[in-house]
Amino acid sequence: PSLAAVKKNSFAARRAALGLVLIMTAPGIPMLLQGQEVCDFRPFQWPRGPALDWKTVEEDDGLPAYWKRLCRDLIALRLNRSPDSPPTAPGTEPQCCAWDQVPVDSEWDDLSQRQASWAGLQMVGPLQGDGIHVFHAHAGILAYLRWMEAEDSRVVGEVRPSLALVIVNFTNTKFSSYELGVPPSKSWKLVLSSTLLGSTQEVEVKHNKPNHGFPCSIDVALEVYAAVILFRRN
């Protein structure tokens, strides 16, 4: 296909966005190629690739703007920050715990700080760790848990490790309600949808309804070729 046809192909863009979500939620250090943050559709040319198109970078609507927002939100979640938080200079990040442990604007008492530090959760979030458990891969739907291991597993504290749940729909089928099993929890918060950027909502847990080897379940809506990320709320 021609470059113009690729640029107008919304299904191709949505499928490419799934690859971006996988990169930014997988263990290890993610890497983006120059131009990927604005969905540069031109083929890469070794060894330096095409020059960055600054007109595309400066666009404030359409596909480039959507991809910039998606990259920004994914990077924020990776760094355990709210997507709406302003960027900070290196070394000046706020001393905060994971989102699902303490709200961003809350005031910590000494005990909460000590508990968070003991559990190895201070300054880290579930997407920054190496913990991963792929528990569902069926008919084009992939679901896996991500978490950050405690610095010292011998320490027993009241703060549980924060969990992220990543669900990816690789099919052209829309699911108004898709049931997945989850670990013991009170509720989950939708923090990112690849098709509805900026949307957040609480997801209630169905207790005593085991599924996929877990004691609880949740129902999640999935658009075609879409991904969602949820954080467990303790």
Side-chain angles (χ1 to χ4, degrees), residues 14-188:
R14 292 180 76 148
R15 290 193 293 267
L18 300 185
L20 184 63
V21 171
L22 292 175
I23 289 174
M24 296 303 297
T25 59
I29 301 175
M31 182 184 72
L32 301 179
L33 290 175
Q34 176 179 290
Q36 193 171 359
E37 71 277 14
V38 292
C39 196
D40 193 338
F41 53 89
R42 295 172 296 170
F44 183 78
Q45 299 174 356
W46 182 263
R48 297 196 299 180
L52 192 61
D53 185 352
W54 287 103
K55 290 184 178 179
T56 301
V57 174
E58 295 169 357
E59 291 185 22
D60 55 6
D61 60 0
L63 187 60
Y66 159 77
W67 268 73
K68 282 189 293 185
R69 173 68 185 271
L70 178 60
C71 286
R72 188 199 72 175
D73 291 358
L74 284 169
I75 291 172
L77 292 177
R78 182 87 183 191
L79 297 176
N80 200 39
R81 301 172 183 163
S82 168
D84 295 322
S85 298
T88 57
T92 61
E93 294 86 352
Q95 298 288 329
C96 66
C97 177
W99 290 9
D100 57 344
Q101 310 297 336
V102 180
V104 174
D105 57 354
S106 68
E107 294 292 332
W108 281 12
D109 56 26
D110 291 340
L111 178 60
S112 297
Q113 286 181 328
R114 288 199 301 271
Q115 289 174 340
S117 179
W118 291 338
L121 295 173
Q122 195 169 15
M123 292 288 294
V124 297
L127 297 178
Q128 291 176 288
D130 293 327
I132 183 170
H133 174 46
V134 179
F135 64 91
H136 182 73
H138 177 72
I141 306 298
L142 177 69
Y144 53 94
L145 293 168
R146 293 277 285 109
W147 67 89
M148 177 70 182
E149 295 283 0
E151 292 181 357
D152 190 343
S153 60
R154 297 169 298 178
V155 176
V156 178
E158 296 182 9
V159 179
R160 291 183 294 174
S162 57
L163 280 179
L165 171 60
V166 183
I167 310 168
V168 187
N169 180 8
F170 291 102
T171 74
N172 195 26
T173 302
K174 178 179 178 180
F175 298 90
S176 59
S177 180
Y178 196 93
E179 185 178 88
L180 287 167
V182 292
S185 47
K186 293 182 179 179
S187 67
W188 292 73

